[in-house]
């Protein structure tokens, strides 16, 4: 029996975000270079995207490359960009077949032209799909995103399009690159690191966090099911007390 059979599909997270970490260590354990790990990481991406789509998850955000990752050795950065171009090119037909719509968040101007072109084509070619929304965080960091939002808010105030007194949490949300997506209910990080590494700092305010020692190239659907089951066992209180949550649940019955 698969762990999948234990998942309650009536209380699935709408949005799952994943920090895909541990490719380099996975390769090192095998005596290979880091790019070998990234190459195998792509197989995990494929499996998890398929698994999320099969379950009926609406949004999946994958942290693939951070703004800080530009500071890695040049050879690794170039290899990662080539892998990105190659993967996107190959995956578009599969995304279309599975009705998956691709989105990208991040400082895309930093990417090489070939990667930008492939991404824009893939976004256009999948734009009519109505299934899973796959959001790739590329050259992304939360502080970059918040900085950009502040600049745009300041500009709109300066131009008289926005009143300072009208700025609410909703306004801020509207200026983030994730404005069209709900906040994640579940965030998974692989490879046994217990940090957020500049990922969705604003959006993760009330997200359930799940950490696993599994390295990303070993992460498969069953690991995703484990994370979802763990999420489903939690009580999300949003600052209230447990009794209030239970009472609200029973009045909804
Ligand atoms: C995650 O794996 C992929 C990227 C950040 C691009 P890492 O490359 O960070 O692998 P480790 O953490 O060094 O093992
Ligand atoms: C976070 O992983 C970024 C991605 C998974 C894309 P890192 O490996 O870059 O994070 P740190 O440096 O260990 O925090
Ligand atoms: Mg890492």
């Amino acid at each position: 029996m698969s762990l999948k059979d234990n998942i309650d599909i009536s209380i699935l997270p709408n949005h799952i975000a994943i920090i895909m970490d541990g490719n380099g260590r996975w390769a090192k354990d095998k005596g290979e270079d880091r790019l070998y790990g990234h190459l195998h990481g792509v197989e995990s991406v494929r499996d998890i995207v398929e698994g999320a789509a099969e379950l009926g998850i609406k949004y999946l955000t994958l942290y693939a490359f951070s703004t800080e990752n530009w500071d890695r050795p040049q050879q690794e950065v170039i290899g990662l960009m080539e892998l990105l171009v190659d993967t996107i090119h190959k995956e578009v037909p599969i995304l279309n077949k599975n009705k998956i719509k691709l989105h990208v968040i991040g400082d895309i101007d930093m990417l090489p032209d070939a990667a930008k072109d492939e991404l824009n084509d893939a976004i256009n070619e999948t734009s009519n799909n109505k299934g899973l929304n796959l959001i790739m965080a590329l050259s992304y960091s939360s502080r970059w995103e918040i900085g950009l939002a502040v600049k745009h808010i300041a500009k709109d105030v300066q131009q008289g399009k926005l009143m300072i007194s009208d700025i609410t949490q909703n306004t801020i949300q509207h200026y983030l690159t994730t404005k069209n997506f709900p906040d994640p209910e579940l965030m998974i990080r692989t490879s046994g690191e217990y940090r957020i590494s500049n990922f969705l700092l604003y959006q993760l305010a009330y997200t359930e966090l799940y950490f696993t020692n599994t390295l990303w190239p070993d992460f498969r659907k069953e690991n995703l099911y484990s994370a979802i089951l763990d999420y489903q066992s939690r009580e999300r209180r949003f600052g209230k007390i447990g009794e209030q949550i239970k009472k609200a649940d029973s009045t909804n019955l």
Side-chain angles (χ1 to χ4, degrees):
M1 194 169 114
S2 162
L3 288 172
K4 190 181 180 187
D5 301 322
N6 297 325
I7 293 176
D8 180 348
I9 54 157
S10 70
I11 48 167
L12 275 179
N14 234 333
H15 184 174
I16 299 177
I18 307 182
I19 302 179
M20 309 183 289
D21 198 13
N23 295 353
R25 279 164 283 165
W26 185 89
K28 198 174 171 199
D29 287 349
K30 297 187 159 39
E32 299 283 350
D33 68 57
R34 298 180 56 85
L35 279 170
Y36 182 77
H38 297 315
L39 198 64
H40 281 266
V42 173
E43 285 170 30
S44 302
V45 171
R46 218 172 267 135
D47 201 55
I48 295 314
V49 169
E50 188 181 87
E54 283 166 357
L55 279 172
I57 303 287
K58 296 282 182 305
Y59 300 88
L60 176 68
T61 298
L62 300 178
Y63 200 10
F65 194 85
S66 70
T67 54
E68 287 80 11
N69 290 149
W70 289 114
D71 296 331
R72 289 193 177 190
Q74 209 194 356
Q75 191 203 3
E76 180 171 350
V77 172
I78 293 171
L80 273 167
M81 290 302 136
E82 284 171 358
L83 184 62
L84 176 70
V85 174
D86 193 50
T87 306
I88 292 170
H89 191 76
K90 285 193 193 132
E91 292 304 306
V92 170
I94 302 164
L95 296 179
N96 279 330
K97 187 173 148 257
N98 295 317
K99 309 268 180 292
I100 297 167
K101 182 171 177 168
L102 181 70
H103 309 260
V104 175
I105 55 170
D107 191 1
I108 297 306
D109 288 342
M110 294 280 290
L111 295 172
D113 287 342
K116 259 187 278 193
D117 293 347
E118 281 296 345
L119 278 172
N120 285 330
D121 287 351
I123 291 168
N124 287 335
E125 286 169 36
T126 62
S127 63
N128 292 324
N129 292 338
K130 298 277 184 285
L132 173 75
N133 287 283
L134 172 62
I135 304 142
M136 297 299 296
L138 280 170
S139 187
Y140 172 88
S141 76
S142 211
R143 289 185 176 182
W144 163 81
E145 176 183 43
I146 291 169
L148 190 69
V150 170
K151 277 188 208 155
H152 286 157
I153 290 173
K155 195 167 161 211
D156 283 354
V157 168
Q158 195 180 38
Q159 295 180 346
K161 292 181 191 159
L162 181 65
M163 299 280 288
I164 290 180
S165 54
D166 287 342
I167 297 176
T168 63
Q169 292 184 17
N170 275 343
T171 321
I172 297 170
Q173 203 268 339
H174 183 78
Y175 281 83
L176 296 173
T177 59
T178 52
K179 62 173 181 286
N180 295 321
F181 319 125
D183 289 343
E185 289 93 344
L186 171 63
M187 196 286 282
I188 299 169
R189 183 170 189 151
T190 59
S191 88
E193 304 293 357
Y194 296 84
R195 55 179 172 264
I196 306 290
S197 301
N198 219 346
F199 186 45
L200 302 176
L201 299 179
Y202 189 86
Q203 297 86 339
L204 294 178
Y206 259 106
T207 303
E208 297 297 327
L209 307 181
Y210 178 87
F211 297 96
T212 170
N213 287 334
T214 303
L215 300 172
W216 179 251
D218 288 328
F219 197 86
R220 287 293 181 274
K221 287 178 193 175
E222 286 295 307
N223 304 86
L224 177 70
Y225 303 151
S226 292
I228 294 174
L229 284 168
D230 192 288
Y231 162 82
Q232 292 191 332
S233 73
R234 301 186 192 185
E235 181 178 65
R236 305 187 71 206
R237 291 192 286 276
F238 299 98
K240 296 182 180 166
I241 65 168
E243 284 72 12
Q244 288 173 293
I245 304 300
K246 286 187 194 83
K247 204 167 148 201
D249 278 353
S250 59
T251 48
N252 283 341
L253 284 176

